Amino acid sequence: MSLGVAGTIGKSDQQVDALASNDSAESWGLSGIVGYATGGLQAQAGVGYAWHDVDTSRTTRVGALGDRLNGRYDATTRQLFANLSYDIGAGAIDLAPFASIANVRVTTGSFAETGGATALSVARGSQDSSFLTLGADARVPLAATVSATLRGGWQHGWGDLAATSIARLPGSAAFRVDGIRLPQDAAILDAGVEAEVGPMRIGASYTGSYASGWTQHGARLTATVRF
């Protein structure tokens, strides 16, 4: 039986050229993990919580009039997850097929855009979705305490894959806005480096998600303490 605590720092950017819109988010997270291993079989379960500062920008056009609108809001993410894997080490490479499942709930704060007459006021919202991922992890030693890591797989999602929010224009009745829909099926990739420093494991990695008409890229820093 093992227990772990992990901290994460990340930044993500998304852009929709067809809608002349983009957003960026800075995130900080903390998670707790409990694990059990016997032979090559490993099972883990945990909970994570993250805080996000999000900036948005979009262009609207009504007739000959156009506005460049900006918004800023806070959001949180709660995640419950479980993972089952089996280590089938191949020489110097640790290779482990895995299956994981996660439930993610994102809550966004209310905010008001600035920049013109078409600026929206948006109410507090939430999005609840689940994901099943099948794939494999690989770890390749680079030095005594440093390893390269690679994760690849297929991810299937269900639930609130498209975020919705309630908004209003100045002087208008409220209406619903549908956000970008997450892909139901996507390929995932995570590649990085990890180093053991005493009881801590520190890592940096690239994360990506790829589907038809969809790409997402991110960078992640992690610090895990095992006791």
Side-chain angles (χ1 to χ4, degrees):
M1 181 75 71
S2 63
L3 297 173
V5 177
T8 61
I9 300 174
K11 180 176 175 60
S12 63
D13 295 281
Q14 298 185 72
Q15 183 168 323
V16 183
D17 293 334
L19 301 178
S21 64
N22 60 79
D23 70 62
S24 63
E26 295 182 350
S27 304
W28 302 264
L30 185 66
S31 60
I33 305 168
V34 59
Y36 175 77
T38 177
L41 185 67
Q42 297 186 43
Q44 294 179 322
V47 59
Y49 200 85
W51 298 263
H52 317 281
D53 287 336
V54 184
D55 290 291
T56 66
S57 181
R58 64 190 182 95
T59 298
T60 62
R61 185 165 295 280
V62 179
L65 301 178
D67 293 327
R68 186 63 179 174
L69 306 175
N70 299 300
R72 183 179 180 88
Y73 63 91
D74 298 325
T76 59
T77 300
R78 185 273 298 151
Q79 182 174 201
L80 304 173
F81 57 90
N83 185 79
L84 186 66
S85 64
Y86 190 81
D87 192 344
I88 55 172
I93 300 175
D94 288 332
L95 183 64
F98 71 87
S100 67
I101 190 168
N103 174 259
V104 183
R105 182 175 182 85
V106 179
T107 302
T108 56
S110 60
F111 69 99
E113 292 181 315
T114 60
T118 57
L120 296 175
S121 296
V122 182
R124 174 186 172 92
S126 64
Q127 180 182 7
D128 196 296
S129 50
S130 298
F131 301 92
L132 171 67
T133 306
L134 303 177
D137 289 322
R139 181 182 296 273
V140 181
L142 300 178
T145 59
V146 181
S147 299
T149 62
L150 179 67
R151 163 172 285 207
W154 164 78
Q155 185 175 81
H156 177 72
W158 66 94
D160 298 332
L161 296 182
T164 61
S165 58
I166 303 301
R168 69 173 67 238
L169 290 164
S172 77
F175 56 91
R176 192 180 81 172
V177 177
D178 293 327
I180 299 173
R181 182 178 178 83
L182 298 175
Q184 187 174 39
D185 296 286
I188 62 166
L189 175 66
D190 190 317
V193 177
E194 290 185 345
E196 301 280 352
V197 182
M200 295 186 64
R201 176 180 292 171
I202 300 172
S205 64
Y206 159 82
T207 63
S209 176
Y210 313 91
S212 177
W214 166 276
T215 58
Q216 186 175 44
H217 309 280
R220 180 171 60 194
L221 299 175
T222 61
T224 305
V225 180
R226 298 185 180 275
F227 51 89

